[in-house]
């Protein structure tokens, strides 16, 4: 099998066994170092997303894989580099047609890695353990100590719209994730 050697480094996606992404990264980094492939295989990234989960009033940062079962590799494709990556334990193949890996476009790389740090961690997003329709207690702000019902959750803004009963009327109020507690 012969692969037309690329002359420039590009980003490629390799498919792995589910749950083996980090092992593949470590094994491939070891192989690159031990075989002196640093001039052909440059970076190996498992994109992660850090999520701040709020449960029982406590915040905890949890990392989730952005693309489970996939690892990104920046490399120059040659017969040797293809062989090293393809024969790393846990790797099932490159994403592409047949035996020819297809590189990510510059736009795709920018979108995926632009929001990632060098370690592949994406900026944190916040999540809460409430759902639409659930009752909550507002614990701070202008509506402190009010009971409310969740009507909308906006993860991008870390805000929740709730209905509170004020003076016998239902009023919609927007509060931050950190201002509510599940009842």
């Amino acid at each position: 099998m012969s692969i037309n050697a690329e002359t420039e480094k590009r980003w490629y996606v390799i498919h792995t066994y589910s749950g083996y992404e980090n092992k593949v990264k470590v094994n491939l980094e070891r192989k690159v170092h031990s075989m002196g492939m640093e001039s052909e295989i440059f970076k190996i990234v498992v994109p992660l997303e850090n999520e701040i989960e709020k449960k029982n009033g406590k915040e905890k940062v949890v990392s989730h894989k952005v693309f489970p079962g996939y690892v990104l590799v920046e490399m120059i494709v040659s017969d040797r580099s293809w062989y090293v990556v393809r024969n790393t334990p846990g790797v099932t193949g490159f994403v592409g047609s047949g035996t020819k890996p297809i590189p990510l476009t510059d736009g795709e790389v920018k979108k995926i890695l632009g929001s990632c740090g060098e370690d592949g961690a994406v900026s944190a997003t916040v999540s809460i353990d409430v759902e639409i329709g659930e009752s909550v207690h507002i614990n701070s702000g202008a509506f402190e100590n009010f009971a409310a019902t969740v009507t909308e959750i906006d993860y991008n803004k870390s805000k929740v719209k709730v209905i509170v009963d004020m003076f016998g009327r239902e009023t919609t109020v927007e509060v931050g994730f950190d201002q509510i507690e599940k009842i």
Side-chain angles (χ1 to χ4, degrees):
M1 194 228 38
S2 179
I3 295 175
N4 296 333
E6 298 283 333
T7 56
E8 63 183 72
K9 62 182 177 179
R10 303 286 305 267
W11 283 95
Y12 296 87
V13 180
I14 55 175
H15 190 264
T16 68
Y17 292 122
S18 183
Y20 280 72
E21 300 86 357
N22 293 330
K23 288 179 185 175
V24 165
K25 180 182 191 286
V26 170
N27 287 337
L28 188 52
E29 286 171 342
R30 281 190 194 137
K31 277 179 109 171
V32 166
H33 182 70
S34 70
M35 297 180 76
M37 299 286 295
E38 291 92 348
S39 63
E40 291 182 62
I41 302 173
F42 306 98
K43 293 181 187 172
I44 299 118
V45 177
V46 178
L48 300 174
E49 176 179 55
N50 291 327
E51 191 173 276
I52 300 168
E53 291 183 352
K54 184 177 179 184
K55 290 191 179 182
N56 301 327
K58 295 180 182 175
E59 291 183 355
K60 181 177 154 185
V61 177
V62 180
S63 292
H64 299 283
K65 291 176 183 76
V66 178
F67 305 109
Y70 296 95
V71 175
L72 305 179
V73 180
E74 184 182 35
M75 62 187 281
I76 296 171
V77 174
S78 66
D79 285 342
R80 186 167 180 236
S81 65
W82 180 90
Y83 182 84
V84 168
V85 173
R86 181 66 186 89
N87 290 294
T88 299
V91 172
T92 60
F94 279 91
V95 172
S97 58
T99 57
K100 174 98 171 118
I102 297 175
L104 292 170
T105 65
D106 291 341
E108 290 168 329
V109 172
K110 197 172 193 176
K111 186 175 181 183
I112 294 168
L113 297 178
S115 59
C116 294
E118 279 299 306
D119 62 351
V122 177
S123 59
T125 57
V126 179
S127 71
I128 54 173
D129 62 343
V130 297
E131 296 176 9
I132 293 173
E134 284 191 301
S135 295
V136 294
H137 172 79
I138 300 175
N139 58 21
S140 67
F143 299 95
E144 185 173 359
N145 295 324
F146 275 79
T149 304
V150 177
T151 59
E152 193 177 312
I153 302 172
D154 186 342
Y155 290 99
N156 294 328
K157 294 180 182 177
S158 298
K159 299 275 186 184
V160 178
K161 284 191 180 175
V162 295
I163 294 177
V164 294
D165 186 17
M166 283 182 40
F167 311 114
R169 291 184 163 188
E170 288 187 343
T171 305
T172 301
V173 177
E174 187 175 78
V175 294
F177 284 180
D178 59 340
Q179 293 179 281
I180 60 169
E181 291 175 356
K182 194 173 182 177
I183 294 178

